[in-house]
Amino acid sequence: MLRTELLLQRLDEIGGTLGRKGGALLLLGVGSVGVELERMDEYSDLDFFVIVEAGQKKRYIDRLDWLEETYPLAYAFKNSDVGCKILFEDGIYGEYAIFEERELTDVSYTEGRVVWKAPLYSNTAIAKPRRPLPSQKCDSLDFPLNEALTNLYVGLGRYARGERLSAARFIQGHAIDRILSVLHLLEPEVDYFPDPFGNERRLEKRYPSFADKLGGMLQGYDRVPESALCILEFIEAVYPANPRLSTEIRDLVHKLTAR
């Protein structure tokens, strides 16, 4: 059986177990096992929500018999107050959360796919969230790219004093994140399952031109200044960067790479 088929089968089996156990109302598949089935592949996970009757939440969070009876677990880690990350014995990995129906009005989530529901339960409309997710995209270059420039400057200063990990995070993390938030203003986005929780997801397919440049911007822990210079050159090519700040950044890069 293909892994994608096994994932969907396992989710169906979890629904069957919920039905036998009682106290559950709805099983929603989310992510690649939700409404975006077209992007499932052999590296996909099981992401799902279980909606339970009032008073049943603690039982389903604290006792994992409903999962063990579906298929033996090799690993379970309670990563939040409402759910776990799990690994079944056959290598299927999953993440889930347990909610009562009333709680979903205050939860931000992407649209889910109804996998199973209790026979008398009818409110499948909750598969679509009521609260919109905050956008990860900015509508102007000014704030994000100036933030990125200052990330480069501050990061290089930290690199100079020996704080290389902090420098790497400022330059190859924070500065890149700021650029990602405005990529849609700089390059036509290929419509390929954007993730409302992270601009970096599927970036290589959504922004192939920028992806080709990332190798120079992310050269690793030992080449932080070189990465900073590549990021600076990219920003200067798309935005009127402050000349004095650009000069200061370049001077720091040259000083650090000449050592």
Side-chain angles (χ1 to χ4, degrees):
M1 181 182 294
L2 295 175
R3 182 178 173 85
T4 52
E5 295 173 345
L6 184 58
L7 285 168
L8 295 178
Q9 177 180 299
R10 183 62 44 80
L11 204 53
D12 288 338
E13 291 168 347
I14 291 171
T17 306
L18 291 172
R20 292 190 297 274
K21 283 292 183 184
L25 299 172
L26 193 69
L27 173 63
L28 294 179
V30 295
S32 63
V33 295
V35 296
E36 298 181 351
L37 290 173
E38 304 97 300
R39 68 175 175 87
M40 277 185 69
D41 60 29
E42 61 178 312
Y43 303 105
S44 293
D45 308 324
L46 286 183
D47 294 303
F48 58 94
F49 289 174
V50 179
I51 316 305
V52 297
E53 296 174 0
Q56 292 291 319
K57 181 177 176 179
K58 188 175 188 303
R59 175 257 185 275
Y60 272 98
I61 290 174
D62 291 346
R63 294 169 54 194
L64 303 187
D65 56 318
W66 56 282
L67 289 168
E68 287 280 5
E69 290 180 22
T70 301
Y71 199 92
L73 289 172
Y75 172 80
F77 160 56
K78 186 178 178 183
N79 69 307
S80 73
D81 291 337
V82 296
C84 289
K85 298 182 177 183
I86 56 173
L87 181 71
F88 290 102
E89 285 284 0
D90 61 354
I92 295 294
Y93 174 81
E95 301 181 15
Y96 67 87
I98 310 291
F99 298 105
E100 293 183 6
E101 181 183 37
R102 61 182 176 78
E103 294 178 302
L104 287 184
T105 58
D106 298 319
V107 176
S108 295
Y109 58 99
T110 58
E111 182 179 354
R113 177 178 64 89
V114 176
V115 176
W116 168 89
K117 71 178 188 68
L120 299 181
Y121 186 68
S122 60
N123 186 18
T124 57
I126 63 172
K128 293 186 177 182
R130 297 182 185 179
R131 172 176 291 191
L133 290 166
S135 176
Q136 299 291 312
K137 297 178 178 179
C138 297
D139 57 10
S140 170
L141 298 177
D142 294 335
F143 179 83
L145 294 189
N146 279 295
E147 273 289 308
L149 288 167
T150 58
N151 291 154
L152 298 182
Y153 181 81
V154 171
L156 288 168
R158 295 189 179 187
Y159 190 91
R161 66 171 68 96
E163 297 180 50
R164 293 194 172 196
L165 177 58
S166 180
R169 288 181 172 173
F170 262 77
I171 291 167
Q172 298 180 62
H174 301 330
I176 293 294
D177 286 344
R178 301 289 78 75
I179 294 172
L180 296 186
S181 73
V182 293
L183 267 186
H184 62 290
L185 302 176
L186 302 173
E187 178 183 340
E189 181 178 1
V190 176
D191 186 14
Y192 190 78
F193 303 111
D195 190 323
F197 298 104
N199 280 321
E200 76 283 356
R201 294 300 307 275
R202 295 172 283 282
L203 177 131
E204 292 77 7
K205 291 188 177 180
R206 292 168 47 228
Y207 297 105
S209 179
F210 180 76
D212 287 342
K213 302 177 178 69
L214 270 175
M217 300 181 191
L218 301 169
Q219 297 184 44
Y221 180 82
D222 293 320
R223 293 181 62 84
V224 173
E226 292 85 349
S227 299
L229 183 59
C230 287
I231 296 169
L232 174 63
E233 289 172 347
F234 174 82
I235 293 174
E236 290 174 330
V238 299
Y239 183 76
N242 179 273
R244 177 58 189 275
L245 184 54
S246 289
T247 297
E248 292 291 334
I249 292 169
R250 273 196 171 80
D251 287 347
L252 276 169
V253 169
H254 293 153
K255 184 183 298 183
L256 292 169
T257 54
R259 289 180 174 179

